Amino acid sequence: MIDSLANVLPHFRNTNSGQFFLMAGPCVIEGEDMALRIAEKVKHMTDKLQIPYIFKGSYRKANRSRLDSFTGIGDETALRILQKVGREIGVPTVTDIHESEEAALAAEYVDVLQIPAFLCRQTDLLVAAAKTGKVVNVKKGQFLSGESMQFAVDKIRQSGNEHVILTDRGNSFGYSDLVVDFRNLPAMRSFGVPVVMDVTHSLQRPNQSSGVTGGQPALIETIAKAAIAVGADGLFIETHPTPATAKSDGANMLALDQLEALLIKLTRVREAVR
């Protein structure tokens, strides 16, 4: 795990390289070898492009449509893998938590605690995450405007923690689709916090009759370019060596071998709009 918040926070502002930062990794930790391989490859790409990198991996998936959906390999096992990734690859790590009781446990292993979009109004969860002293990344609910996320920021700050990030992941559009309203990014940035665009989750097609969420990965580049042009501080991209075999959210992931080419294009967009 990164030694201090002072070493983590520079990843969340465009001050040193002038680049956006990247949160990327698999949807869920499937095993140690895969996690380390993904982190190492992404770190190699981001180092070349001077993009600050935070490894992302859920230690457990609690929000599943079906009872037989994959949820994880065990909490302690997955958290130890996240810790090992941070130590061996030398990057900050982020994972999501679902209940207030999980905050202190996860904080022992990772640098950033993430609040899932469906839970962004859960006061006890936000307060528990804030009180760990970790950076807290709150995903905007699909049912909320960017302006309404001020209250999530206030809850964390009023709990004694100024280290807040807000992430957009689209808004519900009908029963089985999402749409991205890019007005949300400047609205949330006005609260004085870094803002992130969750590119891959915003392309989900939820509530499919199969009980497995669909997606539109062909539009990943479109959403990412637009977010950078609007001024996002960071991007969130789930990636996997073989999305078709991923145990969670494979339908909207980016194949790992396509990530570097996308990042190169995005650094050019960033340079053009600076």
Side-chain angles (χ1 to χ4, degrees):
M1 189 161 56
I2 300 299
D3 290 337
S4 70
L5 283 175
N7 292 327
V8 177
L9 291 174
H11 286 73
F12 307 131
R13 283 296 188 193
N14 307 320
T15 53
N16 296 327
S17 67
Q19 284 296 355
F20 55 91
F21 65 87
L22 177 68
M23 292 183 176
C27 177
V28 62
I29 298 298
E30 299 177 12
E32 181 177 305
D33 290 344
M34 188 198 73
L36 287 168
R37 185 167 78 251
I38 292 173
E40 184 177 24
K41 288 186 176 181
V42 179
K43 179 69 159 51
H44 180 68
M45 300 174 197
T46 53
D47 280 353
K48 285 196 298 183
L49 297 170
Q50 298 183 43
I51 297 171
Y53 172 47
I54 302 95
F55 176 81
K56 180 270 168 187
S58 296
Y59 74 92
R60 173 159 51 89
K61 302 301 293 183
N63 177 26
R64 304 287 88 188
S65 296
R66 294 175 10 182
L67 187 60
D68 61 353
S69 295
F70 179 79
T71 58
I73 60 175
D75 292 358
E76 292 276 1
T77 300
L79 285 167
R80 288 193 188 100
I81 290 171
L82 282 160
Q83 185 179 57
K84 187 171 184 177
V85 167
R87 287 174 174 170
E88 293 198 2
I89 308 301
V91 295
T93 54
V94 55
T95 198
D96 33 7
I97 58 174
H98 314 91
E99 298 182 29
S100 55
E101 293 79 8
E102 298 175 26
L105 173 63
E108 295 179 17
Y109 296 91
V110 301
D111 304 288
V112 183
L113 299 179
Q114 182 166 282
I115 309 300
F118 282 126
L119 302 177
C120 68
R121 293 183 62 181
Q122 297 296 102
T123 300
D124 289 349
L125 181 59
L126 291 168
V127 171
K131 288 185 174 180
T132 67
K134 297 290 183 175
V135 177
V136 183
N137 178 33
V138 188
K139 287 196 172 182
K140 184 188 73 61
Q142 302 92 321
F143 43 87
L144 293 175
S145 67
E147 288 83 357
S148 64
M149 290 301 290
Q150 173 72 65
F151 303 107
V153 174
D154 289 346
K155 288 177 183 178
I156 294 168
R157 286 175 168 164
Q158 290 166 14
S159 300
N161 190 334
E162 293 290 328
H163 310 306
V164 190
I165 305 168
L166 293 179
T167 296
D168 191 11
R169 49 100 73 237
N171 282 80
S172 296
F173 187 70
Y175 293 108
S176 301
D177 206 356
L178 296 169
V179 65
V180 177
D181 181 352
F182 286 100
R183 294 176 299 178
N184 286 326
L185 296 181
M188 294 192 299
R189 211 166 191 262
S190 70
F191 308 143
V193 301
V195 297
V196 176
M197 184 73 234
D198 181 344
V199 178
T200 47
H201 283 109
S202 68
L203 291 168
Q204 284 183 333
R205 285 191 161 173
N207 303 318
Q208 301 296 305
S209 59
S210 65
V212 178
T213 298
Q216 295 179 291
L219 292 174
I220 288 173
E221 181 175 325
T222 300
I223 298 297
K225 284 180 175 177
I228 293 300
V230 169
D233 296 290
L235 296 178
F236 180 108
I237 298 176
E238 288 190 339
T239 185
H240 192 281
T242 53
T245 65
K247 295 183 181 296
S248 178
D249 280 359
N252 52 271
M253 277 189 184
L254 181 69
L256 184 58
D257 63 5
Q258 297 176 18
L259 179 59
E260 185 169 2
L262 174 61
L263 293 176
I264 291 171
K265 292 178 182 178
L266 296 175
T267 59
R268 292 170 180 165
V269 174
R270 169 66 83 192
E271 183 61 30
V273 299
R274 282 178 63 192

